[in-house]
Amino acid sequence: MCKSLCSTPKDPDSVDLGWGLEISILNGCSRLMPIICGPHLQKHRCNWWRGTLHWVGYGAVYLLEGFQEEVILAWLCIEGPENPLVLYPTVMNSLPATSRMQKISVLLFLAWVGFLFYAGIALFTSGFLLTRLELTNHSSCQEPPGPGSLPWGSQGKPGACWMASRFSRVVLVLIDALRFDFAQPQRSHGPGEPPVSLPFLGKLDYLQTILEIQPHHARLYQSKADPPTTTMQRLKALTTGSLPTFIDAGSNFASYAIVEDNLIKQLASAGRRVVFMGDDTWKDLFPGVFSQAFFFPSFNVRDLHTVDNGILEHLYPTMDSSEWDMLIAHFLGVDHCGHKHGPHHPEMAKKLSQMDQVIQGLVERLENDTLLVVIGDHGMTMTGDHGGDSELEISAALFLYSPTALFPSALPQEPEIVPQINLVPTLALLLGLPIPFGNIGEVMVELFSVVEDPQPHSSALAQASALHLNAQQVSRFLHTYSAAAQDLQIKELHRLQNLFSKASADYQRLLQSPQGAEAALQTVITELQQFLRGVRAMCIESWARFSLVRMAGGAALMAAACFLCLLVSQWVTSPGFYFCPLLLTPMAYGLAGAIVCAGLLTATGLKPDPVVLGAMAAVGSLLPFLWKAWAGWGSKRPPAALLPIPGPVLLFLLIRFAAFFSDSFVVAEARATPFLLGSFILLLVAQLHWEGKLLPPKLLTIPRFCLSASTGPPRHNGTHALGLGVGLLLCIRLAGLFHRCPEETPACHSSPWLSPLASMVGGRAKNLWYGACVGALVALLVAVRLWLRRYSNLKSPEPSVLFVRWGLPLMVLGTAAYWALASGADEAPPRLRALVAGASVVLPRAVAGLAASGLMLLLWRPVTVLVKATTGAPRTRTVLTPFSGPPTSRADLDYVVPQIYRHMQEEFRGRLERTKSQGPLTVAAYQLGSVYSAAMVTALTLLAFPLLLLHAERISLVFLLLFLQSFLLLHLLAAGISITTPGPFTVPWQAVSAWALMATQTFYSTGHQPVFPAIHWHAAFVGFPEGHGSSTWLPALLVGANTFASHLLFAVGCPLLLLWPFLCESQGPRKRWQPLGSEAESRVRPEEEEEPLMEMRLRDAPHHFNAALLQLGLKYLFVLGIQILACALAASILRRHLMVWKVFAPKFIFEAVGFIVSSVGLFLGIALVMRVDGAVSSWFRQLVLAQQR
Amino acid sequence: MKDTDIKRLLYTHLLCIFSIILSIFIPSFFLENFSILETHLTWLCVCSVFVTAVNLVLYLVVKPNASSKRSSLSYKVTRFLKCCIYFLMSCFFFHVIFVLYGAPLIELVLETFLFAVILSTFTTVPCLCLLGPNIKAWLRVFSRNGVTSIWENSLQITTISSFIGTWLGAFPIPLDWERPWQVWPISCTLGATFGYVAGLVISPLWIYWNRKQLTYKNN
C-alpha cells in the first residue's frame, strides 16, 4: 500500500525525508497523490505530484482566529476500489515514523557530543586534578602504631610518647621559597676562575660559617618538595607529612582548615604551646590552635617587607620570654621578592642577607634543649615563580642546628638530598610526640644516633627503632587508607606489605637477641628504608604527578569535539543531510574503540580505567567523523566554510577565549562579562542600523539605499530596537549591583544585598526589602501571565494552563511565606516556634513539589491550545474524469486540476457560509502559533521558582531582571532575523554567543564566584533546617542547583532563540514579505490581511525544524565548549603560575561542572520542544479522527 | 573627487593631530607639575578645548560643505546654539552609556563626565562641524553606503576608530600591573585619543588607497 510514498526516496534534495501518511483514513486506496491547496500557496494554486514526488508544503486545516487562513492538504486517490480519482480533503497530520526517528537521532547526537566533551573533561581532570582521600584518624600517645614494645628508653619517662624526646623546644624558621642554592656559597666552577657572582649566592654566610665551625651541631640538606609547589600545599605537607593534592577529597570546601592529623595538632593536644608569627595562611589552616599568633597579610605579592618586619618585631621578644614550646616564624619576603623581581635582582641579595642576620640572631639566643630548623617550603624558577615540578621549584634548603652535638659523623662533601616531608616524623619523634597518622615521610636516621655513646651498635639500634616506629605508623596508615579508597595500586601495596612484615620480623628477632648483630641491624635499617621509600614512591605515583599525556589528550579531545560541533552545525542545514547514519556510525566505531582498548588493557594485565575507556570510545567515534570531514574537504568545500562564524562574533569569542588565560581577567570576569555583553548588544544594534534594518528607508535620502533595504524588511522601528538595547544595558547594570567580590581584590566591596534578610538589623529596612522581594516575585508571575495572555495561551482548559493560572500564585505565596518565616524566625514568639520550624520545613518542599507536579503536567499535556468547535466529518468527493487511473498526460492534468480546485473552493466557501449561518462547523484552534514557546516559558518559570527559593531573598530581584533581560535580548535578536519560510531555519551565531554570555553574567549577578569559599552553602538547608544526616547527594544537589541555576535556566531556555523570531512575526506589520523570484511560480502577492503562521511554520517543515534544533544545540555546545577548552588550556599551560590553584584550577572546575549542567539543560530543553511537537502532532491526529467520525 | 581633496583632508587631519600634541606640551609652560597622568583632568579639559577649537577653525577655513543657503545672522546663531545643546546632550548620553557599561555611578563623577566630554569632542564635534545639528544626516552617514563625500567618509572612520579605541582602552583596567594609567578613566581616555589619532591618520590613507573604488553620488 502506498509504496511510492513510504519507500525511501531516491533524490533527497527534492523530498523531505520523514513524511508518512495516516493510512487508516484512506481506506481502500492503494495509490495516492498529495495535493496542497489554499491561500497558503500562491494565489490558491494547487500543487500536486508531477512525475517525481515533489512536496511543496505541508499543511493542515487549522483556522486561526478569524478564519482567515486555511491550508488544505488533499489526497487524490488514483488507484483504489472506488472511482478513479477520489479526493480526500483531509487534515493530514500523521506523525510519521521517520520524523520520530529524526527526533531521536537529534537527541542522541547531542548526547553523543556531550559525551565527547565529558570524556575530554574527565581525561583532562584525571591528569590535572590529582585527588586524594583525607583521613581524619589521629595518632595518640596511648596507642602505639603497631604491636611490640615501645622501644629504647621511652618507658617511664615523663613527656615521652612513642619515643623519648630529644628536644623540648623547636624554633622553626620557614623562609618561603628558600631555594637550595640560596644557601650555597659563591664558588668558582673551575680552579683559577673567578667565583660566579649571582645576587642570591653566598648571602647566607652565617650558615656556612656554622657548618664549618660546628660540623657536629649543624647540617644543611637539600630538601625535595613534592609538587604542587604552592605555599598552602607545602604547609599542609610540612605539618601532616603527606602529599597534599589540589583537591583533597573529604575536606571541607568552606574553609581551608586542615582536618588531617598534623604536628601542630599533636603539639597542642600534648599541651605544648605553639607560637606563630608571619604569613596569615596559617590562620586558615590551623584555626585556634596557636597559643599566641601574629598574622600578617600575605596577599600583596609586591610588598616585600610588611610580613618580615612584623615578624622581626615580635621574634626576639617572644624568644626571650620563653613562653613557648614551638616557635614558628614564616618569612615571606624572599618569595615576594622572587615574584616581584625574580631571583637575579639585587633586592634578593638584600632580602637574603636580612634572613642571614635573623638566623644569626636566633642561633645566639638558642638554649641547649632547643632545635633550630630553617626550611624553605619550595624553590622558585629562574623568573621567580613556583607551583610546578621543575628542579628549581622543588629543591629547597633545609638547615638544622642544635646547640648540643647531634651528628656523630663529619660533614659530608655534598649536602644530602632528603624529601621534604621527612622532617615531619623526625620532628615528631625528636619532640617525643606521636607521628601524625597520615605521614608517609621517613625519619632522618642521622638525627637519631647516640652521640655520647661512641659504639656504633647502640646508634644503629636507636636508628632502627625510630625507623621501625615510623614504618609501623606508615603501614597502619596504608592499611586504613587502602580500606577507604581504591586509588593505590593493589600489587605494589601487597609487595610493600610483605616487605614490611619481613623487616618487622627481622627487627623483632634482633630485639630478642641484640648482641653482635650490627650487620643484621644495618640490613633491617635498609629494609625499613626500602619499605618507606617504596610507599612514598607509590603515593607520589598516584597523588602528586601531573599526567601531561592525559592533560594533552583531554584538551585535544575537547578541541576535536568543538571542531565537530562547528562542522556539523554547518552540515545540518545543507541539503542532503541524513539523520540516521549520523548516529549509528560513530556509535559503532566508539563501541569498537572501547572494546579494543579494554581488550588491550586486560591483555596487558592492567585494570581498565573507566576514564581511559571513555576517552577511547570518544576517540574511536570521532575518528570516522573527522575522516569524513577531511575527505569532504579535499574535493569541494571552500575554505570559507571552515569558519562560518561572522567576524564580530568571532572577535568576541576570541576575546572571551583569551581572557581565560589571564588570572586578572578570570578574577575580574564578574565585571568583564557584563562589559562584553553590553558591547555585544550595542554592536547588534549598530549592526542593525548599519544594514538599514532599523530605520525605514524613506528617512534615508539616498535612493540607492531603498534597494538595499528591501532585502530585509524593517520589522521594528529604530526607537524600538534602540530602546531594547538600552533597556538591556540597564538590566545588566542593575543586575551588576548584586555582585560578590573575589577575595583577590581587597579594594572591592561585595554587595550587601546578597546576604539573607534574616541577617539584617532594623525592622523598617527589612520590611521594605521584604516587600520589594515579594514584589519581584509577583512581578515575575504577572509578567509571565501577561505574556501568555498576550499570545492567548492562557485560555486553554488544559491542565498545564490551569496550573499556570492557579499553581503559580500558590508557589509565589509559599515562597513569600517561607521568606517571611526565614527572615523573622528569631522574632517569633516562643509558643509559635514549633509552628515556625515546621512551616520552614514544609513550605520550601511544598513549593518544590508544586513546581515538580507542574512540570509533570506540562510534560503530560504540553499543548496549550483552545479548540473552539468541531465540524462534522468532511465529505469525500469524487472527481469525474474521462480516464481511469492516474493522470498520465498533460491533457489529463489540465482537465483534472481545475476540477479539483473548483471542488475545493466550493468546499471552503460552503464551510464558511455554514459557519456563518448554522453556527460553528469548522475547527478553530487558537494559540497554535505560540504553542512551543508557551510550553518553554511555562517550564522555565516552573524551574525558576524552586531555584529562586535556594537563593537569598533579594536575589529574586535578579531573577526578575534575568527574565526581563532575556526577553529583551530575544526581541532584539529577533529584530535582526528574517524568516525564510520554507526553511532551512538557522539560529545566528550572535544569538547563541549572546545567550551564553548572558548565562555567565547571571552566574555572577546571582552572587556567585568561581571559588570554593564563595559557594552558597546555606542552600543545602533550605527545607532541611536540621541538616541531612548522612546523605550527601541531596545537599550536593541543592548547593549545585543554587550555584548553577543560571547555567540551567539559560540552557533549558536555549530553544527560545529559535522560536522567538517566529513569535515576533505576529507583532510586525501585517504585510508579509515575499522572497523575490525564489520560485518560478511565486509572484508578489497583493497585500492580504492574514494571520501569521508563527511557530506553525516550524511544524510545516519538520525536517528543517529538527535540523535547526540540532544546529542550535551544537552551536551552544560549541560556545560553551571553547570556554571549557580555554580553561583547560590555561590550567595546563600556566600550571607553574602563582595563581594556578587559587584561580585557574577552581575556574576550570566550575566551568566544567557548569558545562555539564548546561549540556544536560540544553538536552532537556530540546527534548521538551520535541515533546511539544509530538503532542501537537497527536493533537492534530485526534482532531482528524474526531472529524472523520 | 580629486587628489587635492585628499590632500586637504590630510592636512586638516595633521592639524588635528598637531593640536593634540600641543595640548600635551603647551600647558606645562603655564602650569606647574603638569603631566598627562597626574593632572589628567586638566589635560582632558585642555585637549578638549584645543581639539574643538582646531575643528571649528578648520571648518570655517576649509568649508567642506559650503552649501548653506541661508546666511542670516539669526540662523547662524540658532544653529550654533543648537550645536551647543547637541554637544551637551551627547556628553550626557556618553556619560549614561559609560555608567551602563559599568563605570561607578556616584564616585568619580567628574572623571567620568570629562571622559564623556573628550569622547564627544572626538566624535560629536566633527559631526556637528560637518553635518550640522541634523540627526538624520548623522544616521545616514553611519550606515552602509550612506556617505556622500570623502569628508563624510573620513568622519565615519575617525568616529568609529575613536569608539573602538575607547572600548579597547577598558581592557587593561582589570590587569594587575598596577600602573598609574590603569586607573579609571585614564586608560579609556588614552584609548579614545589614540583611536582618534589613528582614525585621523588612517582615513586619508584609506581613502587614497581606495580612491578608485570610491564613487560618491551627490544627492
Side-chain angles (χ1 to χ4, degrees), chain A residues 302 652 655 662-665 668 675-676 678-679 682 689-691 695 699-702 704-705 729-730 733, chain B residues 97 99-105 136 139-140 142-145 148 156 167 170-171 174-176 178 217 219:
Chain A
R302 279 157 208 287
F652 272 91
I655 289 175
S662 155
D663 61 318
S664 310
F665 273 105
F675 177 78
L676 270 189
S679 314
L682 278 197
H689 168 70
W690 184 259
E691 285 163 8
L695 298 169
L699 254 180
L700 307 161
T701 47
I702 312 291
R704 194 155 35 99
F705 197 76
L729 285 180
L730 195 66
R733 184 71 171 94
Chain B
I97 291 284
V99 170
L100 287 182
Y101 260 75
L105 182 65
K136 280 179 191 168
L139 288 175
R140 172 177 60 77
F142 293 103
S143 57
R144 186 189 281 171
N145 306 327
T148 55
Q156 202 184 43
W167 186 70
F171 279 84
L175 290 173
D176 58 355
E178 299 190 10
K217 271 189 194 166
N219 303 340

Side-chain angles (χ1 to χ4, degrees), chain A residues 658-673:
Chain A
F660 285 103
F661 288 84
S662 155
D663 61 318
S664 310
F665 273 105
V666 175
V667 168
E669 206 190 8
R671 284 182 297 148
T673 315

Side-chain angles (χ1 to χ4, degrees), chain A residues 453-735:
Chain A
D453 192 349
Q455 263 198 0
H457 175 79
S458 62
S459 265
L461 190 64
Q463 292 176 353
S465 57
L467 265 178
H468 185 247
L469 262 180
N470 186 357
Q472 276 183 324
Q473 168 264 324
V474 170
S475 165
R476 180 179 69 174
F477 166 70
L478 272 193
H479 198 261
T480 322
Y481 188 86
S482 57
Q486 268 73 44
D487 53 351
L488 297 178
Q489 292 169 19
I490 311 271
K491 247 185 191 174
E492 182 69 7
L493 204 61
H494 280 302
R495 192 185 72 80
L496 288 171
Q497 292 287 13
N498 290 339
L499 191 65
F500 170 69
S501 15
K502 179 174 174 294
S504 190
D506 285 353
Y507 172 74
Q508 296 294 349
R509 204 171 51 245
L510 274 179
L511 278 190
Q512 306 297 320
S513 51
Q515 62 275 14
E518 204 200 323
L521 260 180
Q522 283 306 332
T523 338
V524 169
I525 289 177
T526 322
E527 277 174 350
L528 287 171
Q529 279 179 335
Q530 266 181 2
F531 164 70
L532 289 168
R533 283 168 197 175
V535 170
R536 208 175 145 265
M538 178 179 69
C539 292
I540 284 179
E541 192 55 48
S542 56
W543 295 342
R545 192 159 289 163
F546 285 133
S547 166
L548 284 183
V549 179
R550 286 185 174 213
M551 283 160 74
L557 199 52
M558 282 184 255
C562 283
F563 181 63
L564 176 88
C565 286
L566 200 61
L567 208 64
V568 179
S569 67
Q570 253 190 306
W571 275 358
V572 166
T573 45
S574 65
F577 180 79
Y578 292 101
F579 281 101
C580 286
L582 194 66
L583 186 77
L584 294 176
T585 357
M587 285 277 268
Y589 276 96
L591 270 180
I595 288 169
V596 166
C597 178
L600 276 179
L601 281 178
T602 34
T604 49
L606 290 168
K607 196 179 147 203
D609 185 354
V611 173
V612 176
L613 273 187
M616 280 302 144
V619 169
S621 53
L622 251 175
L623 279 180
F625 235 94
L626 294 180
W627 173 251
K628 214 168 133 190
W630 181 254
W633 251 310
S635 55
K636 49 186 174 181
R637 281 184 190 269
L642 251 175
L643 221 56
I645 308 173
V649 183
L650 192 67
L651 177 76
F652 272 91
L653 287 180
L654 273 180
I655 289 175
R656 187 133 173 72
F657 188 82
F660 285 103
F661 288 84
S662 155
D663 61 318
S664 310
F665 273 105
V666 175
V667 168
E669 206 190 8
R671 284 182 297 148
T673 315
F675 177 78
L676 270 189
L677 187 58
S679 314
F680 205 89
I681 285 158
L682 278 197
L683 183 79
L684 281 178
V685 176
Q687 213 173 12
L688 277 181
H689 168 70
W690 184 259
E691 285 163 8
K693 289 184 187 171
L694 266 193
L695 298 169
K698 64 183 172 214
L699 254 180
L700 307 161
T701 47
I702 312 291
R704 194 155 35 99
F705 197 76
C706 299
L707 235 165
S708 69
S710 68
T711 54
R715 248 182 291 133
H716 300 263
N717 55 17
T719 46
H720 178 69
L722 202 65
L724 287 177
V726 171
L728 259 173
L729 285 180
L730 195 66
C731 281
I732 293 165
R733 184 71 171 94
L734 284 179

Side-chain angles (χ1 to χ4, degrees), chain A residues 90-407:
Chain A
T90 63
V91 182
M92 227 312 291
N93 270 295
S94 57
L95 179 70
T98 40
S99 175
R100 191 173 293 155
M101 271 308 294
Q102 276 184 4
K103 280 178 192 157
I104 289 171
S105 70
V106 164
L107 285 180
L108 281 177
F109 190 77
L110 282 177
W112 175 64
V113 173
F115 164 72
L116 290 184
F117 276 110
Y118 300 161
I121 292 171
L123 193 64
F124 183 86
T125 311
S126 71
F128 175 64
L129 292 179
L130 312 146
T131 52
R132 183 180 67 105
L133 189 71
E134 279 189 338
L135 299 176
T136 48
N137 305 41
H138 282 70
S139 302
S140 74
C141 243
Q142 290 75 32
E143 244 183 292
S149 60
L150 286 174
W152 184 61
S154 66
Q155 287 87 351
K157 276 199 183 180
C161 233
W162 294 0
M163 213 168 173
S165 66
R166 294 277 301 268
F167 294 95
S168 57
R169 305 200 294 179
V170 169
V171 178
L172 177 67
V173 178
L174 194 88
I175 301 178
D176 214 290
L178 184 70
R179 200 161 78 191
F180 171 65
D181 54 357
F182 290 1
Q184 292 280 78
Q186 295 194 350
R187 50 178 115 159
S188 49
H189 283 299
E193 284 178 36
V196 194
S197 177
L198 290 171
F200 53 81
L201 278 186
K203 291 300 177 290
L204 297 181
D205 280 332
Y206 188 70
L207 291 190
Q208 295 298 331
T209 322
I210 289 189
L211 284 172
E212 278 162 26
I213 299 172
Q214 300 177 298
H216 293 286
H217 293 249
R219 273 291 183 281
L220 177 68
Y221 297 96
Q222 179 175 1
S223 77
K224 290 284 180 200
D226 303 295
T229 48
T230 48
T231 298
M232 185 183 288
Q233 266 72 25
R234 288 303 92 218
L235 292 185
K236 269 188 172 179
L238 274 174
T239 50
T240 61
S242 63
L243 299 168
T245 56
F246 176 58
I247 297 186
D248 289 335
S251 66
N252 184 0
F253 280 129
S255 80
Y256 294 115
I258 294 180
V259 295
E260 282 178 302
D261 193 10
N262 59 65
L263 266 185
I264 312 291
K265 235 177 227 174
Q266 288 293 349
L267 278 165
S269 58
R272 316 271 186 101
R273 294 155 299 175
V274 186
V275 177
F276 177 81
M277 48 193 73
D279 185 349
D280 60 358
T281 312
W282 291 72
K283 184 162 67 179
D284 302 329
L285 291 177
F286 305 99
V289 181
F290 303 114
S291 65
Q292 199 182 0
F294 308 96
F295 297 116
F296 302 99
S298 61
F299 183 71
N300 189 355
V301 177
R302 279 157 208 287
D303 177 6
L304 304 190
H305 300 296
T306 307
V307 178
D308 293 4
N309 292 346
I311 296 172
L312 288 179
E313 195 180 310
H314 298 288
L315 181 59
Y316 299 128
T318 312
M319 235 184 125
D320 295 336
S321 77
S322 58
E323 282 175 353
W324 53 275
D325 294 303
M326 182 160 191
L327 178 61
I328 305 172
H330 187 161
F331 291 93
L332 275 179
V334 175
D335 180 51
H336 284 187
C337 181
H339 286 305
K340 191 177 176 186
H341 303 295
H344 298 268
H345 194 274
E347 200 66 35
M348 184 60 95
K350 282 188 213 161
K351 208 71 224 179
L352 286 172
S353 303
Q354 186 193 16
M355 291 299 116
D356 194 45
Q357 285 168 8
V358 170
I359 295 167
Q360 189 171 1
L362 285 171
V363 166
E364 282 160 8
R365 285 175 171 79
L366 278 186
E367 288 168 25
N368 278 343
D369 61 343
T370 313
L371 177 71
L372 171 70
V373 182
V374 179
I375 189 167
D377 59 346
H378 49 74
M380 59 173 74
T381 59
M382 300 293 278
T383 53
D385 294 324
H386 56 87
D389 54 358
S390 71
E391 182 59 31
L392 285 177
E393 286 164 279
I394 60 169
S395 80
L398 168 60
F399 174 79
L400 297 176
Y401 174 79
S402 149
T404 54
L406 189 60
F407 303 94

Side-chain angles (χ1 to χ4, degrees), chain A residues 728 731-732 961-969 998 1001-1002:
Chain A
L728 259 173
C731 281
I732 293 165
L961 283 175
L962 180 160
F963 271 80
L964 195 62
Q965 73 189 43
S966 39
F967 176 79
L968 292 175
L969 180 70
M998 200 174 261
Q1001 181 249 331
T1002 314

Side-chain angles (χ1 to χ4, degrees), chain A residues 967-1010:
Chain A
F967 176 79
L968 292 175
L969 180 70
L970 284 169
H971 264 291
L972 184 64
L973 289 169
I977 298 168
S978 54
I979 303 162
T980 47
T981 311
F985 313 114
T986 52
V987 178
W989 279 102
Q990 49 262 39
V992 180
S993 315
W995 199 248
L997 263 180
M998 200 174 261
T1000 312
Q1001 181 249 331
T1002 314
F1003 171 76
Y1004 286 106
S1005 62
T1006 44
H1008 295 99
Q1009 277 285 335

